[in-house]
Amino acid sequence: MSLHEFDALVERMQLAFDYAANLGQYIEAAKVLYQMNDQLPDDLQLSLEEMENETVVRSFIHEYQPKIKSAIVGYRQRLMNF
């Protein structure tokens, strides 16, 4: 995947995440985080916890959103160096 393709994909996913989170649809927002994580190479993917109920979702988002964003930045840097 090229840097341009990756950026376009991540931008769409970020918009979907923001939309869901702003509407209070935290389960949907968490699903987008899972999808973002799946787009990263195996060595950058986070081992995400499964969510059992809605009360856990907000803390899940709070914990993993910054980590996934950091991994995305790392992958972008890799793509720029190729």
Side-chain angles (χ1 to χ4, degrees), residues 9-56:
L9 178 63
V10 168
E11 183 178 338
R12 285 192 306 271
M13 290 179 157
Q14 184 62 50
L15 289 172
F17 173 82
D18 291 341
Y19 183 77
N22 288 336
L23 290 176
Q25 297 174 342
Y26 299 110
I27 292 175
E28 293 303 316
K31 288 179 183 178
V32 175
L33 287 181
Y34 275 100
Q35 293 170 352
M36 290 172 126
N37 190 56
D38 286 342
Q39 295 304 312
L40 296 168
D42 290 341
D43 64 321
L44 291 175
Q45 283 187 10
L46 302 174
S47 177
L48 301 179
E49 303 169 4
E50 289 294 323
M51 295 171 292
E52 296 180 14
N53 59 53
E54 193 168 334
T55 58
V56 179

Side-chain angles (χ1 to χ4, degrees), residues 2 22 77:
S2 72
N22 288 336
Q77 289 174 344

